Amino acid sequence: ERIKNVKNNFTFKACKYNTVVIIDDVMTTSATVNEIAKGLQNNGAKNVIIGCLSRSSINEELKIHND
């Protein structure tokens, strides 16, 4: 459900940086950072580094986009 809520919710311009760092305050399903990482990579970022300040307890494996 969360993946559907964030899909195509972000707009990206051409990324002029090779490496981009995303900091999430609380990561639950990783759906938001995953969607942002895909958008950045599709628009020129070579590397996307994801960090979070807190991770909620869920019973599913964290799935991060990696092409």
Side-chain angles (χ1 to χ4, degrees), residues 31-64:
T32 302
V33 293
N34 192 33
E35 192 67 18
I36 293 169
K38 283 195 295 188
L40 289 167
Q41 290 175 329
N42 290 339
N43 286 279
K46 304 284 185 254
N47 305 298
V48 178
I49 300 168
I50 299 168
C52 69
L53 303 176
S54 179
R55 175 87 165 93
S56 70
S57 292
I58 57 173
N59 291 328
E60 64 182 75
E61 185 178 323
L62 181 65
K63 297 176 180 113
I64 298 292

Side-chain angles (χ1 to χ4, degrees), residues 14-30:
C15 184
K16 63 181 180 178
Y17 302 103
N18 285 329
T19 301
V20 178
V21 177
I22 301 170
I23 304 294
D24 194 357
D25 57 350
V26 179
M27 187 183 296
T28 306
T29 63
S30 74

